[in-house]
Amino acid sequence: MELPAEILIHNEQLGVKGSRGVLVRINPSGFYEVNFRFGERLHRTYFPIQGTVIISQEPEIISGLEREIER
């Protein structure tokens, strides 16, 4: 994922479920640095990596033929 990236954020402890944000960087101290909207204002926030799920808003593009999984 190239940064900055538009993402969806999930963090149960903070009550965030599928909220939109922009991932600015991954802080080596264990935090996602995110531009996140609270009310009508945009704020720089730090979400702990532990317990936070981020999902890219843009789906991955599969190049070439889709591969079949052997069973």
Side-chain angles (χ1 to χ4, degrees):
M1 184 181 308
E2 293 192 28
L3 302 179
E6 292 185 17
I7 58 169
L8 300 173
I9 306 163
H10 298 269
N11 183 295
E12 189 174 318
Q13 183 179 11
L14 299 174
V16 177
K17 297 179 182 178
S19 297
R20 295 178 183 266
V22 176
L23 178 62
V24 177
R25 76 183 193 117
I26 300 173
N27 188 303
S29 298
F31 295 91
Y32 294 119
E33 209 168 309
V34 176
N35 283 340
F36 188 71
R37 188 167 300 281
F38 284 101
E40 295 184 18
R41 296 192 138 168
L42 193 64
H43 296 271
R44 179 68 52 99
T45 57
Y46 298 89
F47 286 88
I49 290 174
Q50 186 76 339
T52 302
V53 175
I54 60 169
I55 301 170
S56 175
Q57 286 188 26
E58 294 297 319
E60 289 291 318
I61 298 172
I62 299 173
S63 60
L65 299 175
E66 291 188 30
R67 298 186 182 144
E68 191 172 313
I69 299 173
E70 286 185 37
R71 295 178 189 233

